[in-house]
């Protein structure tokens, strides 16, 4: 496989459920990101991981819990979500050293619906 | 504050017609500039990017963009659109000597194609 792969593509969960989104990149990048894309709202950066260390958390509620076990994998653990958390969650990766061009490589997204 | 403005929320053009999507940025120095495209239900894909040099840049799928420093603009163009170009288009900037984690996205322009 190549690029950035996200699973599952679609997820429906109740407000009391616990689920996880997974992202895997095969590009040899050292930075990974979670974005939230809601209808009629700009893309929102949630978390940034650089060499497995979280470097940014943009005031994301604690019901979203990221995990980055290595530079190729990124998870977003979800628990006690609210209906307003329904959105497309996009994972991206980039190379943050050796000539960072600022370019992001995105996965196809995980469409989350919270009932 | 740094910002990216895409003044057109939704544009409809006829198949075969030319296209221009507008993007203006507000930043002290010339940033890195990008255009991304998002097809329905998909992630974002890079169309083209500008770092320096020739102000007219060519991208994938027959798109090009022109950087105009005096107007702080980076408009996207295509001479003849195809039905498959229907998608959401995002302009983005990254401050020079920064990193992808500092990327700022515009709010997007949705392109519809009239048969």
């Amino acid at each position: 496989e190549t690029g950035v792969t996200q699973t599952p593509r679609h997820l429906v969960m109740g407000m009391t459920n616990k689920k996880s989104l997974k992202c895997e990149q095969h590009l040899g990048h050292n930075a990974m990101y979670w974005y939230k894309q809601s209808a009629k709202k700009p893309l929102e950066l949630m978390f940034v991981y650089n060499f497995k260390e979280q470097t940014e958390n943009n005031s994301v509620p604690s019901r979203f819990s990221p995990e980055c076990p290595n530079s190729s994998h990124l998870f977003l653990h979800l628990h006690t979500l609210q209906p307003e958390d329904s959105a497309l969650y996009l994972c991206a990766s980039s190379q943050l050293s050796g000539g960072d061009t600022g370019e992001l490589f995105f996965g196809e997204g995980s469409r989350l619906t919270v009932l | 504050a740094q910002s990216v403005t895409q003044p057109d929320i939704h544009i409809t053009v006829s198949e075969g017609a030319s296209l221009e999507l507008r993007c203006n940025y507000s930043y002290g120095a010339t940033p890195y500039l990008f255009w991304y495209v998002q097809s329905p239900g998909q992630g974002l894909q890079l169309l083209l990017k500008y770092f320096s040099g020739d102000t007219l840049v060519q991208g994938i799928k027959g798109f090009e963009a022109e950087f105009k420093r005096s107007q702080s603009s980076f408009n996207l163009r295509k001479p003849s659109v195809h039905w498959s170009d229907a998608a959401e288009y995002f302009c983005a900037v990254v401050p020079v000597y920064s990193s992808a984690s500092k990327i700022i996205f515009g709010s997007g322009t949705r392109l519809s194609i009239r048969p």
Side-chain angles (χ1 to χ4, degrees), chain A residues 77-107:
Chain A
H77 303 300
L78 316 168
H79 61 99
T80 58
L81 295 191
Q82 305 298 311
E84 60 265 28
D85 297 322
S86 298
L88 183 68
Y89 289 85
L90 292 164
C91 175
S93 70
S94 75
Q95 187 64 20
L96 279 186
S97 60
D100 181 7
T101 62
E103 180 178 350
L104 290 171
F105 295 78
F106 285 86

Side-chain angles (χ1 to χ4, degrees), chain B residues 47-68:
Chain B
L47 278 177
L48 48 76
K49 56 192 176 188
Y50 173 79
F51 295 153
S52 64
D54 193 346
T55 57
L56 185 63
V57 293
Q58 302 297 319
I60 62 171
K61 305 185 181 187
F63 285 92
E64 66 177 27
E66 185 173 14
F67 166 61
K68 292 186 177 180

Side-chain angles (χ1 to χ4, degrees), chain A residues 18-111:
Chain A
K18 288 185 180 181
K19 297 286 184 183
S20 296
L21 306 181
K22 178 184 176 182
C23 177
E24 183 174 2
Q25 60 98 359
H26 306 271
L27 300 168
H29 290 162
N30 51 32
M32 297 187 77
Y33 309 75
W34 279 116
Y35 279 87
K36 177 183 178 182
Q37 187 178 36
S38 304
K40 303 188 188 306
K41 293 178 71 175
L43 276 163
E44 300 174 54
L45 178 63
M46 300 175 72
F47 302 103
V48 181
Y49 276 81
N50 185 6
F51 290 104
K52 304 187 299 179
E53 298 298 320
Q54 186 180 123
T55 55
E56 290 199 36
N57 175 342
N58 284 341
S59 303
V60 181
S62 59
R63 57 186 183 270
F64 294 91
S65 175
E67 178 190 1
C68 188
N70 54 60
S71 293
S72 299
H73 293 85
L74 184 64
F75 296 88
L76 188 62
H77 303 300
L78 316 168
H79 61 99
T80 58
L81 295 191
Q82 305 298 311
E84 60 265 28
D85 297 322
S86 298
L88 183 68
Y89 289 85
L90 292 164
C91 175
S93 70
S94 75
Q95 187 64 20
L96 279 186
S97 60
D100 181 7
T101 62
E103 180 178 350
L104 290 171
F105 295 78
F106 285 86
E108 294 187 325
S110 293
R111 172 69 62 187

Side-chain angles (χ1 to χ4, degrees), chain B residues 4-19:
Chain B
V4 178
T5 302
Q6 295 181 246
D8 303 306
I9 296 173
H10 184 203
I11 285 181
T12 300
V13 299
S14 298
E15 190 168 15
S18 63
L19 170 70

Side-chain angles (χ1 to χ4, degrees), chain B residues 13-81:
Chain B
V13 299
S14 298
E15 190 168 15
S18 63
L19 170 70
E20 182 169 31
L21 302 182
R22 296 182 291 165
C23 174
N24 292 93
Y25 65 90
S26 173
Y27 191 69
T30 300
Y32 298 145
L33 297 157
F34 304 84
W35 275 99
Y36 287 84
V37 61
Q38 184 179 30
S39 297
Q42 302 294 315
L44 279 69
Q45 180 185 20
L46 182 70
L47 278 177
L48 48 76
K49 56 192 176 188
Y50 173 79
F51 295 153
S52 64
D54 193 346
T55 57
L56 185 63
V57 293
Q58 302 297 319
I60 62 171
K61 305 185 181 187
F63 285 92
E64 66 177 27
E66 185 173 14
F67 166 61
K68 292 186 177 180
R69 185 190 308 273
S70 61
Q71 299 176 21
S72 296
S73 69
F74 189 55
N75 293 348
L76 182 70
R77 301 196 295 248
K78 187 170 185 178
S80 176
V81 298

